[in-house]
Amino acid sequence: MVADRRELLTAFSSWVAQHIKGDEKGEAQIFFDRLFGAFGQRGLFEAGGQAEVRIRKAGEDGGGTSFADCVWKPIVLIEMKKRGADLARHYRQAFDYWTRLVPGRPQYVVLCNFDEFWVYDFNNQLDSPKDIVKVAELPDRFGPLAFLFPTQEKPSFGNDREAVTREAADKLALLFRKLTDRKIDRGLAQRFTLQSLVALFAEDIGLLPRYLFDSLLADCKNPADSYDLIGGLFEAMNTRDTPAGGRYKGVRYFNGGIFDPPARLELYEDEVNQLKGAATSDWSKVSPEIFGAIFQDSMEAEERHAYGAHYTSPVDIMKIVKPTIADPWADAIEGAKSSKRLGELLERLTTLRVLDPACGSGNFLYLAYREMKRLEGRIRERLTAEFPEYHPRLIHVNARQFYGMDINSFAIELAKVALMIGRKLAVDELKIGDENPLPLDNLDANFHAVDALLTTQSAVGTGQSAVGAAGKGKPYANVIQTSWPAADVIIGNPPFLGAKRLKPERGVDYVNALRKLYPEVPGMADYCVYWFRRAHDHLPQSTAADPLAGRAGLVGTQNIRNNQSRVGGLDYIAATGTILEAVDNQPWSGEANVHVSIVNWMKTTNESLLPKQRRLWTIVDKTTTRSAKRGFPKTNRAAEPIEQLVREIPASLSLGVDYSARVPLECNRDPQRTFQGKVLGYEGFLLSREERDRLYRDSADVIYPIVTGRELLDEFRIKRWVIDFRNMPLIEAQKRRSAFEHCRACVLPDVEQKVREAEGVGSDMLEARREHLQRWWQFWNRRDELNAFLDKHARYIA
C-alpha cells in the first residue's frame, strides 16, 4: 500500500513539473483533480468536493461574492495562487473564507502556489501553518495532507505550535511553583520567571546570541553561580551600552521595564534542571497568544474561579477582533483611491488606542496587535505597488497603543511580555526592514493591576485594586470608580459570574459597593454587564471624521440577552449605539463550562456611518454532518454558528424578537394571573425526609413538599420539604411548636447575621433586612398575592 501511494504521488509530482505553468485561473481545477487522484480518490467531484464555491465577502456592508477555489466539507478548503506567490500574504483571505464556510466548516485550510502547500488548522493554531510541504516532497512527506486519503487518516504535522507552547508553559510554570514552594518572595519569583521567559524567547528568535542562555545554565554548578550568571544576563539586558567583550558580549539593551530591576536568585539544582528543561523547547514556535497557559497553571483553581478568569482560544478571540478592528479597517484600506487617503489611514492606524479592561494575560490585545500590524503591512504594500513615488513617514503600529487592566498582577506582567515579544514576530512575518525590534517598548504606563470597576481613594495612583487597598478596618468605605485610559476601541472577555454567584464569590461588601457606584445596572444583572455598560460610556462617539473609532467587542454570559442583564447592558447600548455583529449563543473555549454571547458595536445611531447590513451568527447542531459519518474528530465544534445578514440586531440578539419595546399585558394584570415564585432567603427553612418526619406530628399544615423541574423531568421522587408559615402571625406560628423551634434554631441566627452585615457596611438593604427580622419565621419574600390566588384555584401551572 505504501509503495502504491508513493507511486501515485511521484507521478503527480512529475506531472506538475512537466505540465503546470502556474496559472491560478486556468490550471487550478485540473490540479485539484489530479491531486485528489494522487491521494487515492477517483477525483475531486467524485469525493464530494466542489470547485469555485460562492462565499459572501467579509466587508461591513456584506455586499458582493467571492469564490473559494476548492471546498471539500467538512475536511478541507484549498485556495490556489499563481506560481511564485508569497502565500503568507494570502492568509487573511483564507481565514475569511473559512469563517464563512458554515455549516460543515472544514477542519483544515491549505494555501498552494503549485510548488508548495501551506497547511493550516485554524481551530488549534491561528497564525502559522501546521506544516509546509513542497509538491516535489509529496512522495516522502505526505503526512501533513493525509486527510486527503479516502481512508480518513489523521495528518501528522511538523509545526504544532500549540503542543510546543503548552509543553514550554508547563515547564516554566513548574519552575515558578518550585520557587514559591520554598518561600521565595512571590514578586521576586514572578519577576525571575518572566525575565527567564523573555530570555528564552529572545535566544530562539534571534534577539540574544544563540545558545547563550543554554551555556550559562550549563555553568551553574552551585546556587551562587546562578545568582551571578543568570542575574548577570538580566543585568546586561537592562544596560544601555552593549558589552564589547566578556561573557555577555553582543547582548543588546532590552528595556521594556521587564528587567528593571534584574532578578537575581540562587537556584537549587532541581530548579536549574527545570530551567534547562524549559530551554530545550523551541521558543521560536511558542505562540504568545496562548501565554495564558502559563498564567492559568500558576493560579489556584479557586482564585481563577472567583475572578472569572478563563483561557480563550485564538479562533474565539478573532470573533471579537475581526469585526471590531480587522474588517472595518480592511474595508477602508481597500476602498482608498489615492496615496493621500492611504497615508491618512496609516497615520490614524498608528495612533489608534485599544483597551482591554479585563485583559488577563493579554491574548485579546496580542491578536489585535498582530492584526493591526498586518493592516499596516497592507497599506505599505498598496503604497509601494500603486504609488511608488509616495514615501510615508517612518511610523509603525506599536505596543504603546495597547492598554490593559486586570486584578491579577502576574497576568498583567504576562500581557506586557506578550506585546513586547509580538513586535519582533510581526517584524519578521511582515519583513518590515525599517523597524528595529529592540529596545522593547516600556508598557508600565499602559498596563495596571487594578479592579477595573472600583477602587478605594487610597489606591488611586498606586496601581492597587480596591481589594488590595482596603486592608484592615472597614472595607470599601471609600470606594470610587476606577479610571480607565482613553481608548478608541475596547475589546475583551469580562469575568463570567452570574448575578447569583457574585456575592458568594466576591463578598457582600464588594457587591454593595459595586451597586452603589453603578446604580443604573440592575441588581440581578450578571457581573459582565458592568463592563458592557462602562465600556459603552467610555467610548468616544463614532463620527464622520473618525468612523473607525467608537467601536467595541465584548464576550458576555449568554444571559446578557435576557431579563435584567439585558436591561442593564444591551438595551442601553442599542438605544445609543448600534450592534453590528453578534453571536447569539455558543459554547466557550477552555475550562469554563459556559455558553456565551458575543457582541460587536459602534457608538453611533447615525445611519450614514453604519453598514447597510449587520451580521448575526446563530447556532445550529452539526452532529449529523459528514465529519461524524466519516469518523473525523468533532473537537469542540458540535455547535456551529451560521451567518445571517439582517437589517438590525436587537438587544435580545434574536431575529424577530426585540424586547426593548415591551409593554405589560393588561390581561395578566387585571386580574393578575402571573406571579414570581416564593423566595426562601435562608436554607434553614428546608427539610430532609428525616427532619420532616420528626416535625410532622404538630406542624403538618405548614410543611410542604418541594417539586421543581428536576423532579418532574427525572424520576419523580420528592426528597425535600419546606416550612412555610406564609403570613401567619407569631402567636399562630408558635402553636406549630416543632416547626417554629426548628426555624428559631436554623433561620433566626442567619437573619440576625444579615442585619449585622448590612449595618456594618451601610448597605442599601439594611431597612429590608431589619423588616425581615421582625417576621423572621416567614420567607424573605412570601408572595402573599400568589398565596391568595392559589387558595382560590384547584388547578394552576408552575
Side-chain angles (χ1 to χ4, degrees):
M1 181 178 174
V2 174
D4 292 342
R5 286 181 171 182
R6 197 176 194 288
E7 186 176 326
L8 285 171
L9 291 167
T10 299
F12 172 73
S13 298
S14 299
W15 174 81
V16 172
Q18 293 174 26
H19 301 290
I20 292 294
K21 296 182 175 63
D23 179 5
E24 175 188 344
K25 298 297 182 186
E27 298 175 323
Q29 288 199 25
I30 191 171
F31 180 87
F32 295 143
D33 210 51
R34 292 291 188 116
L35 173 66
F36 271 67
F39 276 84
Q41 305 279 4
R42 287 187 296 151
L44 167 63
F45 300 113
E46 289 83 353
Q50 297 176 276
E52 293 294 302
V53 175
R54 290 175 179 270
I55 295 180
R56 190 182 291 132
K57 287 184 178 178
E60 278 200 344
D61 281 333
T65 301
S66 297
F67 294 88
D69 293 327
C70 173
V71 177
W72 187 29
K73 287 187 175 184
I75 300 159
V76 67
L77 157 69
I78 306 176
E79 266 303 296
M80 294 299 298
K81 299 301 168 188
K82 67 181 180 181
R83 175 163 276 158
D86 181 357
L87 294 176
R89 295 185 179 277
H90 300 283
Y91 159 87
R92 179 177 173 78
Q93 180 192 24
F95 183 76
D96 283 343
Y97 285 1
W98 176 80
T99 299
R100 286 169 167 75
L101 279 171
V102 287
R105 180 182 287 151
Q107 175 78 32
Y108 305 105
V109 175
V110 175
L111 284 172
C112 180
N113 60 7
F114 296 98
D115 289 324
E116 58 186 14
F117 301 94
W118 289 27
V119 187
Y120 290 88
D121 179 356
F122 291 137
N123 283 303
N124 298 304
Q125 184 166 305
L126 201 60
D127 273 340
S128 62
K130 285 274 194 175
D131 217 328
I132 297 175
V133 184
K134 294 185 182 300
V135 172
E137 298 173 341
L138 271 181
D140 299 307
R141 281 204 66 227
F142 56 78
L145 292 171
F147 50 77
L148 292 177
F149 287 119
T151 46
Q152 306 171 5
E153 296 182 28
K154 184 178 180 180
S156 57
F157 298 120
N159 184 34
D160 190 341
R161 295 184 65 158
E162 182 179 10
V164 173
T165 301
R166 291 191 178 279
E167 176 190 72
D170 286 345
K171 290 176 180 177
L172 207 55
L174 183 54
L175 169 67
F176 172 75
R177 288 197 295 272
K178 282 178 176 288
L179 295 174
T180 55
D181 285 348
R182 70 173 174 101
K183 308 305 180 187
I184 296 294
D185 175 75
R186 187 178 180 87
L188 178 58
Q190 286 181 1
R191 204 163 69 250
F192 183 86
T193 303
L194 291 170
Q195 291 179 11
S196 298
L197 170 66
V198 175
L200 290 163
F201 244 122
E203 186 177 71
D204 284 358
I205 62 176
L207 293 179
L208 277 178
R210 192 68 173 147
Y211 305 121
L212 172 61
F213 197 63
D214 297 69
S215 67
L216 295 175
L217 287 172
D219 289 344
C220 290
K221 307 300 183 185
N222 58 64
D225 292 336
S226 60
Y227 188 92
D228 293 335
L229 295 174
I230 306 301
L233 173 63
F234 297 160
E235 185 80 48
M237 296 169 82
N238 195 47
T239 303
R240 292 186 179 275
D241 297 326
T242 302
R247 195 67 186 265
Y248 306 112
K249 181 179 180 180
V251 174
R252 290 181 287 169
Y253 176 49
F254 275 68
N255 185 28
I258 194 69
F259 291 99
D260 185 16
R264 290 182 180 269
L265 274 179
E266 290 192 347
L267 299 180
Y268 292 170
E269 182 179 5
D270 66 318
E271 294 162 349
V272 172
N273 289 336
Q274 190 64 39
L275 199 48
K276 286 179 179 178
T280 62
S281 297
D282 184 352
W283 286 80
S284 67
K285 293 183 178 180
V286 169
S287 299
E289 66 266 29
I290 55 175
F291 268 172
I294 302 171
F295 167 45
Q296 294 276 349
D297 286 346
S298 67
M299 292 178 70
E300 297 296 331
E302 293 80 8
E303 181 182 1
R304 189 163 66 242
H305 181 63
Y307 293 128
H310 300 288
Y311 165 72
T312 308
S313 73
V315 73
D316 276 336
I317 295 173
M318 285 301 292
K319 293 172 185 175
I320 290 289
V321 173
K322 193 170 179 291
T324 305
I325 299 175
D327 286 347
W329 273 91
D331 286 350
I333 292 167
E334 299 309 320
K337 305 299 184 186
S338 66
S339 59
K340 180 176 181 293
R341 179 56 182 154
L342 285 169
E344 290 171 350
L345 287 171
L346 181 61
E347 293 274 352
R348 184 66 184 100
L349 184 64
T350 55
T351 59
L352 191 76
R353 299 162 299 181
V354 181
L355 167 66
D356 183 344
C359 70
S361 51
N363 299 347
F364 278 73
L365 292 173
Y366 174 81
L367 285 179
Y369 173 75
R370 292 297 295 270
E371 287 300 308
M372 286 170 61
K373 292 299 287 186
R374 288 179 177 131
L375 292 165
E376 175 193 341
R378 177 56 182 154
I379 294 174
R380 295 183 185 279
E381 181 183 29
R382 280 201 63 192
L383 286 171
T384 300
E386 301 170 34
F387 308 100
E389 73 287 350
Y390 184 87
H391 299 289
R393 290 196 305 122
L394 291 180
I395 51 177
H396 298 282
V397 170
N398 65 82
R400 294 185 303 279
Q401 295 172 236
F402 298 85
Y403 299 83
M405 309 165 75
D406 198 271
I407 203 165
N408 186 284
S409 60
F410 195 14
I412 285 293
E413 297 305 320
L414 279 168
K416 290 192 283 188
V417 169
L419 269 293
M420 293 172 193
I421 294 297
R423 180 176 175 184
K424 165 64 174 172
L425 299 179
V427 166
D428 289 350
E429 176 195 336
L430 300 171
K431 302 177 177 64
I432 305 173
D434 59 1
E435 183 177 0
N436 194 329
L438 288 177
L440 301 174
D441 293 302
N442 190 315
L443 301 178
D444 288 349
N446 292 51
F447 287 80
H448 297 285
V450 295
D451 184 310
L453 297 179
L454 54 83
T455 187
T456 61
Q457 288 186 332
S458 60
V460 175
T462 69
Q464 284 185 291
S465 70
V467 176
K472 296 180 179 179
K474 197 172 183 180
Y476 305 102
N478 214 8
V479 174
I480 59 174
Q481 284 191 1
T482 304
S483 175
W484 287 16
D488 303 299
V489 174
I490 297 175
I491 58 176
N493 177 20
F496 295 159
L497 281 179
K500 292 182 179 179
R501 296 303 307 158
L502 194 49
K503 282 185 179 179
E505 299 286 1
R506 301 304 304 273
V508 173
D509 298 337
Y510 179 89
V511 174
N512 288 337
L514 188 67
R515 289 175 178 171
K516 277 190 174 181
L517 285 179
Y518 299 89
E520 66 278 4
V521 178
M524 286 306 295
D526 283 2
Y527 195 27
C528 66
V529 173
Y530 293 89
W531 267 267
F532 276 77
R533 185 98 181 199
R534 183 78 188 274
H536 187 70
D537 285 341
H538 190 69
L539 283 172
Q541 196 76 23
S542 302
T543 64
D546 197 7
L548 295 168
R551 294 172 181 257
L554 294 178
V555 183
T557 56
Q558 64 168 328
N559 201 40
I560 62 170
R561 305 178 298 145
N562 305 313
N563 304 322
Q564 294 303 298
S565 290
R566 190 198 68 249
V567 170
L570 294 186
D571 277 356
Y572 176 69
I573 289 169
T576 53
T578 305
I579 300 172
L580 300 183
E581 184 160 336
V583 179
D584 65 347
N585 168 29
Q586 71 158 66
W588 201 231
S589 51
E591 294 179 16
N593 184 23
V594 295
H595 281 238
V596 302
S597 298
I598 301 173
V599 188
N600 300 276
W601 75 90
M602 280 179 71
K603 191 174 180 177
T604 182
T605 56
N606 185 343
E607 286 294 335
S608 67
L609 301 179
L610 297 167
K612 294 182 179 65
Q613 293 178 305
R614 283 70 144 159
R615 282 188 167 84
L616 178 62
W617 296 80
T618 56
I619 293 293
V620 297
D621 195 321
K622 187 192 166 218
T623 54
T624 59
T625 59
R626 196 185 326 167
S627 62
K629 294 176 183 177
R630 292 177 55 86
F632 278 83
K634 296 176 192 173
T635 64
N636 62 351
R637 300 183 301 145
E640 195 172 63
I642 299 298
E643 177 189 37
Q644 299 183 71
L645 292 182
V646 297
R647 288 290 301 165
E648 183 178 1
I649 300 175
S652 63
L653 310 184
S654 300
L655 290 179
V657 182
D658 183 3
Y659 296 111
S660 61
R662 69 202 184 286
V663 294
L665 294 174
E666 290 301 319
C667 63
N668 285 336
R669 296 202 305 178
D670 187 18
Q672 186 174 358
R673 301 171 189 270
T674 60
F675 305 87
Q676 182 179 342
K678 302 189 179 195
V679 180
L680 279 66
Y682 301 89
E683 291 188 3
F685 288 112
L686 295 174
L687 302 175
S688 66
R689 180 181 295 274
E690 293 74 17
E691 289 171 324
R692 183 209 66 164
D693 293 344
R694 179 170 54 83
L695 306 181
Y696 210 66
R697 63 184 183 277
D698 62 4
S699 306
D701 64 333
V702 294
I703 296 177
Y704 301 87
I706 291 183
V707 181
T708 68
R710 186 184 309 151
E711 285 80 18
L712 291 172
L713 299 176
D714 205 341
E715 179 187 7
F716 190 85
R717 290 188 62 195
I718 296 174
K719 300 178 181 179
R720 298 180 302 160
W721 284 259
V722 66
I723 299 172
D724 184 2
F725 287 106
R726 294 195 171 193
N727 61 352
M728 196 176 289
L730 179 62
I731 193 168
E732 286 297 319
Q734 287 174 324
K735 294 177 181 178
R736 285 76 176 171
R737 182 176 178 80
S738 298
F740 185 82
E741 291 303 323
H742 175 89
C743 290
R744 188 199 298 275
C746 299
V747 176
L748 179 57
D750 289 341
V751 176
E752 292 172 332
Q753 177 61 28
K754 288 293 185 183
V755 172
R756 287 192 293 271
E757 290 176 356
E759 289 173 337
V761 298
S763 169
D764 55 2
M765 294 291 291
L766 178 57
E767 288 307 313
R769 295 293 181 196
R770 286 172 171 166
E771 185 276 330
H772 186 230
L773 181 59
Q774 301 304 311
R775 53 175 185 86
W776 56 266
W777 62 96
Q778 300 171 359
F779 288 171
W780 168 257
N781 198 321
R782 61 188 182 231
R783 303 297 183 203
D784 292 343
E785 70 285 359
L786 173 61
N787 289 332
F789 181 86
L790 297 184
D791 287 342
K792 298 175 186 176
H793 295 81
R795 294 163 60 90
Y796 46 85
I797 295 174

